[in-house]
Amino acid sequence: MKKNIYLLLAILITPLLTWAQSTVTGIVKNTAGPLAGVTISEKGVANMVQSDEDGRFSIPLQGNSVLVFRSVGYALQERTVKEGDELEIILQSNSQDLNEVVVVGFGTTKKLTNTGAVSSIKGADIRQVPTSSVQNALTGRLPGFVAVQRSGQPGRDASDFYIRGVSSLNPDGNQPLIIVDDIEYTYDQLAQINVNEIESISILKDASTTAVFGIKGANGVLVVKTRRGESGKPKINVRLESGLQSPVTRLKFANAYESALLWNEAIANTANDNTYQPFSEEALAHFRDGDDPYGHPDVNWYERIFKPNSLQYNSNVDITGGSESIKYFISGGAFSQDGNLYDFENEENKVNSNYYYRRFNLRSNLDVQATKSLKLRLDMRANFNRINTPRAGNIVGEVFDFNKIRPWSAPFLNPDGSYSYASDTQELLPTVNARLGTSGYYLDRRNDINMLFGGTQELNIITQGLSLSTRIAYASIESNGREQGRDQIPVYRYFPDSDSYVLKGGAPYVMDNYTLRAFQGDYNSRVNVQANLNYSRNFGAHHVNSLLLYNRESYNSRGDKRTNWIPQNFQGFTLRTGYGYQEKYLVDLTLAYNGSDRFQADQRYGFFPAVSVGYNLAKEKFFEERFDFVDLFKFRGSYGIVGSDKVAGDRYLFQQVYNEGGSYSFGVAHQPVGTIYEGNLGNSNVTWEKQSSFDIGLDMNLFNNRFSLAADYFNNIRYDQLVISQSLPIHIGVGVSPTNIARVRNSGVEFELNYNDHIGEFNYNVKGVLTYFRNKILFQDEPMPAFPWLQLTGHQVGQPMGYLFDGFYTEENLDDSPKPAGGYEVRPGDLRYKDLNGDGLIDDYDRSVIGRPNIPNTSFGLTLGGSYKGLSFNILLQGTTGYSFSVQGSGIEPFKSQFQPIHQERWTPETASTAKFPRLTTNPTTVNSPSSYMSDFWLIDATYLRLKTIELGYQMPDRWLPMKISNARIYLSGYNLLTWTNYSLYQQDPEVTSNTAGDAYQNQRVINLGIQIGL
């Protein structure tokens, strides 16, 4: 009877208790929209719920007024609540979560148990960066990632990048391997990926993570995982962006009057120069007053050709959803980037001769649960690119080049609207605007198709945790060129005194029609087959995981006559196994055996072992008791051998090469017969480059993962490097193939520091990354030079050589100073160099190492982010140091380059104590010419700091949104906004390629406005 009474009371009281509890409801989102599976718990109470597929939740409070929101990969967030609150929680991504899964080669690992050197970033963290290339968006965000953006040309602005610097003497031997969904990609293909398709990016840096790739792993590996579908009703996400571009550096050139004065001064400074005639006082007066615009033009060709701003657009639509049986992710995007040339087309010339880039992306990732134990996947990707360039040539180079156009060479247009030409130059070229308006364009069209089909069969019937995965992937690239242009156009020289026009000799009187030409470009295909047996299982406190992999790839390309359509084959076998005890003692072993048909049969395969260990001190009981604020304190170390088959020279270096030569005539009447001559001797022992890699690291998380630190020291020896032997005498009369003889050591440190926390509802995060490396050539078969300072062995890869600047020649030191060999007479104001061998002459024996290579050895980034309710901001300061650059020819040298502001600071007797540039002369081969006498005067420190990116966003409250819109966010972002440097000699971006004219298309600053809508 009592039991019945108690039951009745429970039935009556329970609704009252439930009614008495306070209930809080709301929605959880990330920047992309509602977030399912978030754990919402009441702090200090065993009360927990999860958000549904729409991100919504409802939790009855049991007395505590603080809710805690947790989700893997996101920063923990707390919120003080009261009865009846309707919350909208926006979670921020967190790279410090120990349970977050990191993608590595052919698998995944948790940060908690990882023993290798891996850095990663989520695709969501770089989606708002307004650049077309993925590698540009990674700059300054990952330790070990060193990038240099050499050009800003639409469609060709992707950065060169390196992982932990450079170790190979071969230029291509430092390019990292790029893997997208376990399939190899090229640099170009990576640059063309729509970042909206990316789930995460990892860089693998030590032998334990790269040995699985064997002969392709020595340069590090960049691994991209694309997004996949999630079960639930369809979610549509739309992103629309519009950006304004402008050059990071706006070039300045002297006007006609200033240039004419410098012209006259240079002629006066040059002995016995009859090539150039000085401008008369009358001509100078016309230039100064601007009263004769056709007889004495003054045209700033840069300002008239390049507009200050241009536009870019980006749009993406993706759909994700499905059921437990079928999940899908579908994405489509279009990116458009215009060049910054003015439009010179007219009614008769309806062609677009500007630079521009158009990209269209399509991707479909489909996952099917065919049976309870069998999963299938089908991925398809299509990419269509269009890159347009003016047929007129390198336009930046044109406006730099003093020998092609000058401020006074021609008016922009003649009075009757006709085009003119540079009548005072040797080439007599039509003006730049004339050629842009009439010469047409060159359009490079490229289509990429990728398909992947795979399946994973669970083999729990054999043993728990065993599975077999197979996949086959096909990738093809087809490109072609379309040229529409004219070779000759009518141009006239106008004579204002007689009001007459004279047609340039050889030019047609009437504009010809455009000629259309087509060209075949790249055409290649890649087939990859993989099969792997995976095993992962826990035995109490023990965890075991293993991978047995077979990987084969065949690459076909339209190449030269010797290798046309002969496939390049790669094949490998890999065993990777790991053991962990209580997530405290960790060990991983990798054994790879693979090879390439680039090498002779008995030298084709190699064995690449690697081992790594980890010890998580924070899991020790004594440590936990004393330092309970420490979540992770893991030491790790690795050592292994990896390789690289990116070598210079012929494809099959072991073969004797014979080349086709010119023709030879036989008989009385000319009868040409083709010839063949002996090429480089083959090297039957040639094989891949190898690298021994050593790494030790520390991973530390503190204060409930609010603070994290990852630090690494690495030391790599790249040996058996393929270089041409320099000790062979040239009188053997034939070239030789590279030999495996060179060695380089590359060592350094890298750090990543993160801190995230909150003050009330304001969440903030700070992230700093630093990479430093230093390489040294240990051996390269370099003959002993006449003097030790001429030797490159012992210095860095790419170390520049030149003379040491020792001030200017003056009247006081002229007689006692060393003079250049060859009898050239120096004068006060010329550059003086150190005489290293003391023979009184400046010659090749006085050259020494100067400056540093053109790849930075130190790269750093500082990210500051925060959010308050729907408002958010993110700022990245990025910079590099430890490298140099120089510019030659039309980029800086008088009478090769346009006169620039630095030329106004030349040496004269009056400015001798403050001069920043040598005296002007028309002689192109003097000691003042960097083309003839490169020195550390011209090679300068390229250290810079950039405000690389900034983003301000606002996520609209859920209550503002119409019924079918689940998420809406507007944002303003910027790229390359501000740059600080420590040099004034050059008008160049600090990332310019050294020893060039510095006339690459300028890097761009972008201000971008976007909106993101979820349905």
Side-chain angles (χ1 to χ4, degrees):
M1 183 64 179
K2 287 184 178 181
K3 291 182 179 179
N4 293 335
I5 293 174
Y6 292 151
L7 180 61
L8 180 61
L9 289 173
I11 293 173
L12 293 174
I13 291 173
T14 298
L16 295 176
L17 292 174
T18 303
W19 176 82
Q21 288 178 328
S22 301
T23 300
V24 174
T25 60
I27 185 172
V28 186
K29 298 179 177 180
N30 60 10
T31 55
L35 200 58
V38 178
T39 298
I40 302 99
S41 61
E42 197 172 352
K43 192 172 185 178
V45 180
N47 180 26
M48 181 181 69
V49 298
Q50 283 192 332
S51 60
D52 62 19
E53 65 179 30
D54 295 320
R56 298 197 171 274
F57 68 92
S58 176
I59 182 170
L61 300 181
Q62 297 181 6
N64 201 321
S65 60
V66 177
L67 293 182
V68 181
F69 298 82
R70 292 185 178 89
S71 184
V72 174
Y74 294 90
L76 178 145
Q77 193 170 143
E78 296 182 356
R79 181 68 63 87
T80 302
V81 296
K82 62 182 184 296
E83 179 184 354
D85 274 354
E86 177 70 25
L87 302 178
E88 184 166 356
I89 306 298
I90 302 171
L91 296 185
Q92 305 297 318
S93 63
N94 177 21
S95 60
Q96 298 148 251
D97 194 328
L98 297 179
N99 293 311
E100 185 177 1
V101 174
V102 178
V103 178
V104 293
F106 307 103
T108 59
T109 183
K110 286 200 306 183
K111 287 190 175 183
L112 178 63
T113 57
N114 173 52
T115 60
V118 182
S119 298
S120 64
I121 191 171
K122 293 181 179 178
D125 293 336
I126 56 175
R127 270 178 210 142
Q128 277 78 36
V129 179
T131 177
S132 64
S133 301
V134 173
Q135 47 265 61
N136 294 353
L138 296 177
T139 304
R141 298 178 185 271
L142 293 171
F145 186 89
V146 179
V148 188
Q149 187 178 353
R150 302 299 193 184
S151 170
Q153 181 182 335
R156 295 194 172 100
D157 62 353
S159 299
D160 297 334
F161 68 94
Y162 310 88
I163 294 177
R164 290 186 165 177
V166 298
S167 301
S168 177
L169 294 168
N170 290 309
D172 293 337
N174 295 297
Q175 292 184 352
L177 177 66
I178 300 167
I179 300 294
V180 179
D181 289 337
D182 291 338
I183 305 302
E184 183 176 347
Y185 270 42
T186 65
Y187 263 45
D188 287 343
Q189 286 176 304
L190 176 67
Q192 294 158 8
I193 291 180
N194 186 340
V195 71
N196 192 63
E197 303 172 3
I198 295 176
E199 177 67 29
S200 67
I201 297 175
S202 302
I203 57 173
L204 315 181
K205 299 175 285 188
D206 68 336
S208 70
T209 55
T210 63
V212 67
F213 300 99
I215 63 172
K216 294 175 179 281
N219 304 318
V221 184
L222 186 143
V223 181
V224 178
K225 179 186 178 184
T226 61
R227 298 167 64 185
R228 309 205 70 80
E230 301 173 353
S231 59
K233 62 184 181 182
K235 296 179 182 179
I236 303 174
N237 191 66
V238 180
R239 185 190 304 272
L240 302 172
E241 297 177 347
S242 178
L244 190 68
Q245 305 174 98
S246 59
V248 169
T249 303
R250 190 75 180 166
L251 301 178
K252 297 178 181 179
F253 297 105
N255 61 30
Y257 176 67
E258 296 166 335
S259 298
L261 288 175
L262 296 176
W263 167 290
N264 282 356
E265 181 180 319
I267 294 173
N269 286 342
T270 309
N272 303 318
D273 180 17
N274 297 317
T275 306
Y276 301 97
Q277 298 299 316
F279 286 101
S280 65
E281 290 297 326
E282 180 185 2
L284 291 173
H286 284 307
F287 287 139
R288 181 187 61 237
D289 300 335
D291 56 3
D292 186 16
Y294 295 103
H296 294 80
D298 181 6
V299 181
N300 186 323
W301 292 101
Y302 178 77
E303 295 290 342
R304 298 298 299 270
I305 298 299
F306 289 90
K307 57 187 177 182
N309 299 296
S310 57
L311 298 175
Q312 74 174 35
Y313 304 95
N314 188 25
S315 58
N316 294 284
V317 178
D318 60 71
I319 307 172
T320 183
S323 63
E324 293 302 321
S325 298
I326 300 178
K327 300 175 185 177
Y328 54 85
F329 170 78
I330 302 171
S331 177
F335 183 89
S336 175
Q337 187 178 27
D338 290 336
N340 55 4
L341 302 179
Y342 282 108
D343 184 5
F344 297 104
E345 68 180 17
N346 53 44
E347 292 299 325
E348 298 178 358
N349 302 285
K350 284 291 185 180
V351 299
N352 188 345
S353 61
N354 205 336
Y355 296 93
Y356 69 74
Y357 177 45
R358 308 286 186 262
R359 182 183 69 197
F360 305 94
N361 301 88
L362 293 172
R363 176 177 285 275
S364 171
N365 288 351
L366 183 66
D367 295 289
V368 178
Q369 189 73 47
T371 68
K372 289 184 178 180
S373 61
L374 176 62
K375 295 180 181 179
L376 302 176
R377 64 179 288 183
L378 177 62
D379 301 349
M380 292 186 290
R381 171 182 175 264
N383 190 85
F384 308 100
N385 290 325
R386 304 293 182 264
I387 299 176
N388 200 74
T389 54
R391 190 170 174 271
N394 177 5
I395 306 303
V396 181
E398 291 276 336
V399 299
F400 257 115
D401 196 336
F402 191 74
N403 289 313
K404 290 188 176 181
I405 196 74
R406 296 156 189 172
W408 54 74
S409 291
F412 194 73
L413 289 173
N414 290 320
D416 64 352
S418 62
Y419 292 120
S420 187
Y421 65 98
S423 58
D424 63 336
T425 65
Q426 186 174 0
E427 294 186 58
L428 302 177
L429 289 174
T431 57
V432 184
N433 59 310
R435 284 177 286 132
L436 284 173
T438 62
S439 293
Y441 63 87
Y442 184 85
L443 179 64
D444 183 13
R445 300 182 290 190
R446 171 170 165 164
N447 304 323
D448 291 26
I449 304 294
N450 290 40
M451 292 184 290
L452 184 151
F453 177 72
T456 300
Q457 174 66 58
E458 295 180 1
L459 299 175
N460 293 331
I461 192 173
I462 299 176
T463 184
Q464 194 72 27
L466 185 66
S467 64
L468 174 67
S469 297
T470 60
R471 64 184 59 181
I472 181 170
Y474 171 81
S476 69
I477 297 174
E478 186 275 330
S479 69
N480 57 72
R482 173 189 172 99
E483 181 185 77
Q484 188 167 347
R486 298 185 180 94
D487 293 324
Q488 293 289 333
I489 59 174
V491 287
Y492 300 85
R493 184 178 180 185
Y494 174 66
F495 293 89
D497 293 340
S498 59
D499 191 26
S500 61
Y501 296 83
V502 175
L503 180 70
K504 175 192 170 186
Y509 281 95
V510 179
M511 192 85 72
D512 293 333
N513 292 325
Y514 280 112
T515 299
L516 182 64
R517 304 180 183 95
F519 307 92
Q520 178 64 52
D522 293 332
Y523 187 81
N524 58 60
S525 63
R526 188 187 304 270
V527 177
N528 181 274
V529 177
Q530 297 176 20
N532 56 73
L533 197 64
N534 292 276
Y535 181 67
S536 180
R537 189 171 178 181
N538 291 319
F539 298 91
H542 308 272
H543 177 73
V544 178
N545 65 86
S546 295
L547 165 72
L548 182 60
L549 169 72
Y550 170 74
N551 187 14
R552 180 180 176 87
E553 183 171 283
S554 182
Y555 176 75
N556 281 285
S557 177
R558 183 175 64 86
D560 60 34
K561 293 183 178 180
R562 294 192 302 272
T563 61
N564 198 17
W565 298 115
I566 299 176
Q568 302 178 37
N569 295 310
F570 164 87
Q571 181 172 264
F573 303 86
T574 302
L575 170 65
R576 181 173 63 201
T577 185
Y579 168 76
Y581 175 70
Q582 293 184 338
E583 297 180 334
K584 179 168 52 176
Y585 308 113
L586 309 163
V587 60
D588 290 284
L589 175 67
T590 302
L591 303 173
Y593 181 74
N594 49 36
S596 166
D597 67 358
R598 288 201 67 177
F599 311 113
Q600 196 159 283
D602 58 352
Q603 302 285 343
R604 189 162 293 168
Y605 284 87
F607 180 61
F608 303 95
V611 62
S612 60
V613 295
Y615 173 46
N616 187 1
L617 184 60
K619 288 289 184 177
E620 294 287 3
K621 186 175 181 180
F622 73 88
F623 194 89
E624 289 179 309
E625 291 173 350
R626 289 172 176 79
F627 307 100
D628 58 352
F629 60 90
V630 178
D631 307 296
L632 174 70
F633 201 89
K634 181 176 62 178
F635 300 99
R636 49 182 171 77
S638 67
Y639 179 79
I641 305 296
V642 285
S644 172
D645 65 347
K646 288 182 178 288
V647 296
D650 295 306
R651 177 172 160 190
Y652 300 119
L653 297 174
F654 57 87
Q655 289 185 340
Q656 172 64 56
V657 175
Y658 295 92
N659 301 312
E660 291 186 6
S663 60
Y664 193 86
S665 182
F666 286 93
V668 177
H670 176 58
Q671 298 181 21
V673 177
T675 62
I676 296 176
Y677 67 94
E678 185 180 30
N680 293 339
L681 298 177
N683 177 5
S684 60
N685 295 317
V686 67
T687 185
W688 55 86
E689 298 183 353
K690 306 175 186 68
Q691 178 171 291
S692 63
S693 296
F694 172 74
D695 181 279
I696 56 173
L698 170 67
D699 296 329
M700 183 170 59
N701 282 36
L702 308 176
F703 312 118
N704 200 19
N705 294 324
R706 288 196 293 271
F707 172 86
S708 72
L709 170 69
D712 282 84
Y713 166 78
F714 58 90
N715 186 38
N716 303 328
I717 303 292
R718 183 73 67 90
Y719 60 98
D720 282 354
Q721 290 198 43
L722 281 162
V723 296
I724 300 293
S725 175
Q726 301 176 51
S727 61
L728 290 175
I730 60 175
H731 61 253
I732 64 174
V734 66
V736 296
S737 290
T739 307
N740 296 98
I741 51 176
R743 286 183 291 118
V744 173
R745 179 174 63 236
N746 182 41
S747 59
V749 293
E750 57 188 34
F751 298 92
E752 178 178 0
L753 184 148
N754 291 273
Y755 185 79
N756 71 82
D757 204 348
H758 67 93
I759 302 173
E761 296 185 34
F762 175 67
N763 299 280
Y764 63 91
N765 63 278
V766 179
K767 178 180 179 180
V769 300
L770 171 70
T771 302
Y772 169 81
F773 73 90
R774 177 86 177 187
N775 60 57
K776 180 180 180 180
I777 301 172
L778 301 178
F779 181 76
Q780 59 175 345
D781 193 32
E782 179 183 23
M784 182 58 67
F787 299 98
W789 55 80
L790 296 171
Q791 190 172 30
L792 283 173
T793 301
H795 296 286
Q796 298 184 69
V797 176
Q799 173 66 56
M801 299 281 290
Y803 298 93
L804 300 177
F805 174 61
D806 196 24
F808 294 99
Y809 285 103
T810 65
E811 292 287 356
E812 292 76 19
N813 66 29
L814 189 61
D815 292 335
D816 299 331
S817 296
K819 307 299 189 301
Y824 169 72
E825 180 184 359
V826 293
R827 294 185 178 184
D830 287 336
L831 300 181
R832 185 179 61 164
Y833 304 123
K834 290 184 179 181
D835 180 15
L836 297 183
N837 66 345
D839 63 356
L841 295 176
I842 300 299
D843 54 22
D844 285 346
Y845 291 128
D846 298 304
R847 297 172 71 247
S848 179
V849 295
I850 56 173
R852 295 179 176 178
N854 194 221
I855 297 173
N857 70 2
T858 304
S859 178
F860 54 89
L862 176 65
T863 303
L864 306 172
S867 65
Y868 177 75
K869 296 185 177 180
L871 290 170
S872 63
F873 71 89
N874 194 280
I875 300 170
L876 171 62
L877 290 167
Q878 175 266 331
T880 62
T881 187
Y883 78 119
S884 306
F885 80 86
S886 64
V887 171
Q888 303 177 1
S890 61
I892 191 66
E893 299 182 46
F895 287 78
K896 294 181 182 179
S897 163
Q898 306 290 348
F899 288 106
Q900 303 177 42
I902 192 62
H903 297 135
Q904 301 282 13
E905 302 186 59
R906 71 214 174 275
W907 189 98
T908 66
E910 296 75 24
T911 64
S913 61
T914 60
K916 297 181 181 179
F917 198 87
R919 73 182 181 97
L920 301 182
T921 174
T922 63
N923 189 335
T925 62
T926 72
V927 290
N928 300 331
S929 166
S931 299
S932 301
Y933 287 82
M934 174 53 64
S935 72
D936 56 358
F937 178 87
W938 304 105
L939 192 72
I940 62 175
D941 182 359
T943 297
Y944 73 85
L945 175 67
R946 287 196 202 274
L947 178 56
K948 190 68 175 180
T949 62
I950 186 170
E951 182 198 350
L952 304 173
Y954 181 65
Q955 195 146 3
M956 297 182 186
D958 198 44
R959 63 182 182 275
W960 290 8
L961 305 178
M963 184 174 297
K964 292 185 178 180
I965 297 179
S966 61
N967 186 66
R969 183 174 185 269
I970 57 174
Y971 51 91
L972 180 68
S973 57
Y975 178 74
N976 281 346
L977 293 180
L978 294 171
T979 303
W980 295 273
T981 63
N982 63 348
Y983 59 85
S984 59
L985 179 62
Y986 300 114
Q987 295 190 85
Q988 296 290 340
D989 187 87
E991 299 182 78
V992 67
T993 303
S994 191
N995 296 323
T996 66
D999 56 2
Y1001 193 103
Q1002 294 161 281
N1003 285 346
Q1004 298 293 296
R1005 175 187 297 113
V1006 182
I1007 298 176
N1008 183 67
L1009 179 64
I1011 184 170
Q1012 176 184 316
I1013 300 173
L1015 303 173

